[in-house]
Amino acid sequence: GSDMRLRLESSYSYANYYFPDGRQRIWSIPEDVLPVDVSGVEDLVYLLWQNENKSATVALFQETARLTQFAPAVPISQPRQIVATETAVYVLDMAGERLLDFHPQTGKLQAIFQLPMVTAFTASPDGSQLLFAGKDRLYFWQQPSNSRFIYGGTTLLGPQPHDTAVWQTSTPYGWPITGNFRDLTRRDLQMPGAPRHYRLGVHQGTDFYWANDTPVYAVAAGIVIRTMLDYEQPSQAAFNRRRAQNLELGYTTPDNLDFYRGQQIWVLQENGFVARYAHLGGIAWDVVEGTAVTVGQQIGTVGNSGSPVSVNSETADAHLHFELWLDDIYLGQFLRPIETRELLEQLFFPSNSNYGRFFTNSIFSTPFSYPIRQNLGGRVIFLHFLLYIKPPPSKNAP
Ligand SMILES: [Zn+2]
């Protein structure tokens, strides 16, 4: 019902269910999966998660027990969002290019929408109305009164920093600490976009936890544009002053945000991005503003500078905080955790990532209309640039 509130804590892999009277229920999600999104109707809760092999699963829970009769047979990939309604459970997958419509009790496939790139969608409680947010317009489904597009201002030409394609690379980045891309954090709280309640702000980077004082390497070649060689550990009073200001203003000012990054190196990379290496314990003597660094070059060491615990300990919570910027947009800004994660995987290990694999391991063996129609034998209707494909009744039953 409308009083239901659900929260997915994907860093710690549990879900919360808040009742109207204030009670809450909490349950664990399997340890080896990555929760993506949650939605519910009445007392039914649908969880969308990604498995270790990058396939995705929708699981139905009542109370905290899983109801196994809900078993979608369609492979789901690059999951983005789930919305449960009385008549359909909708899953946006294929990085926003496909919407699956499952029967709410059985998980049987009811319909497939093939979409232009969609970043988010919503549905009416009875499931009959759908609204999609595209890159520069809204798409309505079954609403003749809203048959025109609503444009969000001037259509932007060319790639923009908030388009995920801008961040993709054909040359893999180097891993900035010991280890490799498999060590990318599984906790969304250590990724860009995570909340930072202590300073009423948002985390703009990715945390790489490794021992204090171990080397930090440049992920890509570029020119050093900022290096804090003469950094001094701030006092407790300085931290208190910053925190009081954040609380008074209700957000972290850019100046305070810079303070919390501690000792930093900024590198303007050859591709135009600026990499910021933060919380450093030290900086290599040859990392001087205006000089070049090469990929894999040691530029500093892991530390905890700028983090609130650094006042009491030089080693507690030591980690590298790494940000990537294009103009005034950071990698991960406006994105869901799963999208940021895919981008980072693509940066550090392109051939292992999901990118460019939208149509593998799915019922879309070949992209777009004719082959789909052939495969599924269903109707194809053009509506507001949406392709609506109705599958044959008996196929894909669980
Ligand atoms: Zn961080």
Side-chain angles (χ1 to χ4, degrees):
S2 56
D3 291 334
M4 167 190 262
R5 285 200 300 135
L6 287 161
R7 189 181 73 172
L8 191 61
E9 174 47 90
S10 55
S11 286
Y12 300 96
S13 287
Y14 60 78
N16 276 6
Y17 182 151
Y18 297 91
F19 295 92
D21 63 4
R23 282 180 302 132
Q24 66 165 300
R25 175 168 296 121
I26 183 167
W27 71 91
S28 297
I29 298 163
E31 249 178 44
D32 52 349
V33 307
L34 191 72
V36 173
D37 196 16
V38 62
S39 187
V41 174
E42 301 299 333
D43 62 342
L44 299 177
V45 175
Y46 298 84
L47 269 173
L48 174 63
W49 68 57
Q50 190 175 64
N51 303 299
E52 270 188 316
N53 67 1
K54 299 286 171 73
S55 68
T57 298
V58 180
L60 170 59
F61 291 85
Q62 193 166 32
E63 302 291 324
T64 53
R66 185 168 176 185
L67 304 185
T68 52
Q69 71 265 27
F70 183 88
V74 178
I76 304 169
S77 66
Q78 289 190 280
R80 291 294 183 260
Q81 191 186 350
I82 184 167
V83 174
T85 71
E86 291 157 15
T87 56
V89 175
Y90 295 105
V91 172
L92 184 67
D93 83 332
M94 290 188 169
E97 295 195 348
R98 187 175 76 165
L99 189 77
L100 299 166
D101 167 349
F102 296 116
H103 189 277
Q105 272 81 50
T106 62
K108 181 186 165 188
L109 185 67
Q110 301 186 124
I112 302 169
F113 297 77
Q114 190 167 352
L115 308 167
M117 187 65 84
V118 160
T119 57
F121 77 104
T122 187
S124 60
D126 68 359
S128 66
Q129 308 284 317
L130 292 169
L131 174 60
F132 301 94
K135 184 181 164 190
D136 56 8
R137 66 193 66 180
L138 296 173
Y139 301 95
F140 296 89
W141 167 245
Q142 294 180 344
Q143 285 192 50
S145 57
N146 285 324
S147 61
R148 283 169 303 171
F149 300 134
I150 295 175
Y151 290 91
T154 314
T155 300
L156 301 170
L157 299 172
Q160 301 297 317
H162 53 272
D163 294 338
T164 52
V166 167
W167 302 94
Q168 296 178 39
T169 178
S170 53
T171 312
Y173 278 41
W175 195 246
I177 53 166
T178 304
N180 61 35
F181 71 96
R182 291 185 187 86
D183 298 318
L184 184 66
T185 178
R186 288 185 57 79
R187 296 170 63 171
D188 290 341
L189 279 175
Q190 296 172 356
M191 305 277 277
R196 284 296 178 266
H197 298 297
Y198 77 90
R199 56 174 172 79
L200 301 178
V202 176
H203 194 229
Q204 298 180 331
T206 307
D207 293 336
F208 297 82
Y209 274 82
W210 210 261
N212 185 58
D213 213 30
T214 52
V216 170
Y217 309 105
V219 301
I223 302 291
V224 178
I225 57 171
R226 185 184 184 196
T227 179
M228 299 164 72
L229 292 165
D230 54 354
Y231 181 82
E232 280 180 31
Q233 168 64 40
S235 64
Q236 181 67 60
F239 276 97
N240 294 346
R241 201 166 53 243
R242 303 276 179 172
R243 186 163 187 277
Q245 192 182 25
N246 298 337
L247 296 178
E248 189 188 323
L249 295 170
Y251 71 101
T252 322
T253 63
D255 184 54
N256 286 352
L257 205 47
D258 196 60
F259 168 85
Y260 289 121
R261 291 190 192 98
Q263 191 177 30
Q264 305 168 59
I265 300 168
W266 293 13
V267 175
L268 173 60
Q269 297 176 172
E270 287 165 357
N271 55 16
F273 300 144
V274 171
R276 299 178 179 176
Y277 304 81
H279 295 329
L280 298 175
I283 292 178
W285 64 269
D286 55 348
V287 176
V288 179
E289 282 174 26
T291 61
V293 295
T294 56
V295 57
Q297 178 181 336
Q298 186 184 342
I299 54 175
T301 53
V302 171
N304 70 354
S305 59
S307 72
V309 297
S310 63
V311 173
N312 301 316
S313 165
E314 288 183 7
T315 57
D317 200 37
H319 64 277
L320 169 67
H321 171 100
F322 173 76
E323 299 175 0
L324 206 54
W325 288 78
L326 180 55
D327 301 329
D328 57 350
I329 304 282
Y330 58 86
L331 182 147
Q333 196 166 346
F334 311 126
L335 301 182
R336 297 184 178 87
I338 188 81
E339 294 172 275
T340 305
R341 185 174 296 279
E342 285 180 15
L343 264 187
L344 286 167
E345 287 175 354
Q346 201 278 337
L347 281 185
F348 288 109
F349 201 67
S351 59
N352 187 54
S353 78
N354 267 337
Y355 275 96
R357 293 201 207 161
F358 295 175
F359 297 100
T360 61
N361 188 32
S362 82
I363 56 171
F364 291 151
S365 54
T366 335
F368 299 114
S369 58
Y370 184 66
I372 297 166
R373 199 165 147 190
Q374 208 170 37
N375 290 347
L376 297 176
R379 290 186 300 141
V380 179
I381 302 167
F382 286 89
L383 183 77
H384 306 165
F385 290 124
L386 299 182
L387 277 172
Y388 177 63
I389 302 105
K390 202 173 167 59
S394 59
K395 235 177 173 178
N396 298 305

